[in-house]
Amino acid sequence: MKEMVNLGKFKVRKNGNSLIVTIPKESGFSENEMVEAIKESDGSISYKPAEQNPWFSGEYDNYDFEAIKKELDFPIDGGRAVGKEII
């Protein structure tokens, strides 16, 4: 189990129609990083890094999609319009 670290107490502030809790630098998050907030049944809230888009995160960088395309047993034509598709 991951060790829990108490980062301190923080005041909830209002900004427009939103409530804000400041996250200290020691939390390990980076500026502009997307996070998910999870509210547990006991009322506690935890934050975790939001899942990244695998196309942009580099997860698929080692896949050879051209080779995979050649292995398929049906033609891939690049999506030619055959009706009233919006291109």
Side-chain angles (χ1 to χ4, degrees), residues 12-70:
V12 177
R13 297 177 288 136
K14 184 174 180 174
N15 184 4
N17 290 328
S18 299
L19 297 175
I20 298 173
V21 177
T22 304
I23 299 175
K25 285 184 180 181
E26 295 81 23
S27 68
F29 290 112
S30 303
E31 185 176 358
N32 296 320
E33 182 177 357
M34 294 295 293
V35 297
E36 290 182 50
I38 296 103
K39 185 174 183 180
E40 304 291 341
S41 58
D42 65 357
S44 64
I45 297 176
S46 62
Y47 293 94
K48 69 175 191 171
E51 293 198 22
Q52 300 294 317
N53 183 330
W55 296 103
F56 300 128
S57 69
E59 185 176 336
Y60 295 145
D61 285 354
N62 295 324
Y63 285 85
D64 184 355
F65 289 105
E66 288 300 322
I68 293 169
K69 210 165 65 168
K70 289 177 186 174

